[in-house]
């Protein structure tokens, strides 16, 4: 029968099936047979198993206890060890406020970038396409806007420029249309940045005030 163990040193489970039993029962090497011949079976003695890899602090536990501990761990609890070396379940300690704030900042940055990647749906004469607004797209939009403004300033609002959206279709738009499109896209981008800044201001204020609850509730 396999015995299950818990070790605080390794913070894990062990078994004598895998690690080998701590002790072995062997024939007593010092035993001398009875000269009368009635007793020919040597007694056994318990010795330390030199091949066992069980940690010194490993304590035996029941299989159902191991299953209970693993189930608790899967549900976010932590296995800890008492003064006698036996395991139990506890709630995890709260994440330090600085760590929580850093995690939340990364979440906000990820959500902001996802909003940029989603782009802006735009109606091209009845056809819906997506104006991409990722950081690399923002440079292209600014470039298109500058070209359109130069053409409009040169009294050429009907001159055409090529625009390619999320559907990867080339669209020939007038300078005036490009100006309208880029203004809409830039307003969309500005809205995303503004939301990101506002949320991060709340995050900074909550961090300084030590308001853990406000930080935890902060979402995009």
């Amino acid at each position: 029968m396999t015995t299950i163990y818990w070790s605080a040193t390794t913070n894990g489970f062990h078994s004598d099936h895998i690690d080998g039993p701590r002790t072995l029962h062997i024939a007593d090497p010092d035993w001398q047979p009875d000269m009368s011949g009635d007793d020919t079976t040597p007694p056994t003695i318990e010795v330390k198993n030199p091949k066992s890899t069980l940690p010194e602090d490993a304590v035996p536990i029941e299989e159902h206890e191991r299953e209970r501990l693993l189930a608790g761990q899967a549900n976010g609890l932590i296995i800890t060890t008492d003064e006698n070396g036996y395991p139990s379940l506890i709630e995890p300690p709260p994440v330090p406020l600085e760590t929580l704030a850093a995690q939340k900042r990364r979440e906000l940055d990820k959500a902001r970038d996802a909003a940029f990647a989603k782009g802006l749906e735009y109606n091209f004469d009845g056809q819906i396409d997506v104006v991409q607004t990722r950081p690399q797209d923002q440079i292209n939009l600014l470039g298109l806007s500058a070209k359109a403004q130069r053409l409009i300033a040169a009294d050429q609002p009907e001159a055409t420029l090529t625009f390619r959206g999320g559907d990867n279709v080339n669209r020939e738009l007038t300078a005036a249309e490009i100006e309208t499109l880029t203004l809409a896209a830039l307003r969309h981008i500005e809205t995303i940045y503004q939301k990101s800044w506002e949320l991060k201001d709340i995050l900074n204020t909550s961090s300084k005030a030590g308001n853990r609850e406000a930080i935890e509730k902060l979402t995009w």
Side-chain angles (χ1 to χ4, degrees), residues 181-207:
L181 181 152
T182 54
L183 283 174
L186 292 172
R187 281 195 298 269
H188 175 74
I189 293 166
E190 183 180 359
T191 299
I192 294 172
Y193 274 122
Q194 190 65 42
K195 182 175 181 178
S196 175
W197 296 334
E198 289 174 358
L199 290 172
K200 287 180 179 177
D201 284 345
I202 295 173
L203 176 59
N204 290 336
T205 301
S206 300
S207 297

Side-chain angles (χ1 to χ4, degrees), residues 53-104:
T53 56
L54 279 173
E56 290 294 328
D57 67 340
V59 294
I61 62 171
E62 298 292 336
E63 175 61 30
H64 67 82
E65 178 66 3
R66 173 179 175 273
E67 293 176 359
R68 186 185 73 84
L69 292 166
L70 289 173
Q73 194 175 46
N75 288 319
L77 298 178
I78 293 176
I79 300 176
T80 188
T81 306
D82 65 18
E83 65 275 9
N84 296 316
Y86 286 92
S88 61
L89 292 168
I90 60 171
E91 292 286 342
V95 176
L97 194 65
E98 296 79 7
T99 302
L100 177 63
Q103 291 174 347
K104 187 61 66 173

Side-chain angles (χ1 to χ4, degrees), residues 77-205:
L77 298 178
I78 293 176
I79 300 176
T80 188
T81 306
D82 65 18
E83 65 275 9
N84 296 316
Y86 286 92
S88 61
L89 292 168
I90 60 171
E91 292 286 342
V95 176
L97 194 65
E98 296 79 7
T99 302
L100 177 63
Q103 291 174 347
K104 187 61 66 173
R105 183 176 295 276
R106 288 193 294 270
E107 289 177 17
L108 294 176
D109 285 343
K110 185 176 180 180
R112 177 205 61 201
D113 293 344
F116 285 142
K118 184 178 180 181
L120 170 68
E121 287 191 350
Y122 197 83
N123 192 329
F124 294 89
D125 292 330
Q127 293 183 338
I128 302 299
D129 198 352
V130 174
V131 179
Q132 294 170 308
T133 56
R134 299 164 299 179
Q136 61 267 39
D137 302 313
Q138 295 171 23
I139 297 173
N140 293 334
L141 288 168
L142 289 171
L144 277 174
S145 178
K147 289 179 182 178
Q149 290 175 23
R150 285 197 297 270
L151 289 170
I152 293 170
D155 201 23
Q156 300 178 54
E158 298 302 315
T160 58
L161 295 167
T162 301
F163 176 80
R164 192 178 183 93
D167 287 345
N168 288 319
V169 175
N170 286 346
R171 302 181 189 276
E172 298 301 320
L173 305 178
T174 66
E177 290 172 330
I178 287 290
E179 176 70 357
T180 301
L181 181 152
T182 54
L183 283 174
L186 292 172
R187 281 195 298 269
H188 175 74
I189 293 166
E190 183 180 359
T191 299
I192 294 172
Y193 274 122
Q194 190 65 42
K195 182 175 181 178
S196 175
W197 296 334
E198 289 174 358
L199 290 172
K200 287 180 179 177
D201 284 345
I202 295 173
L203 176 59
N204 290 336
T205 301

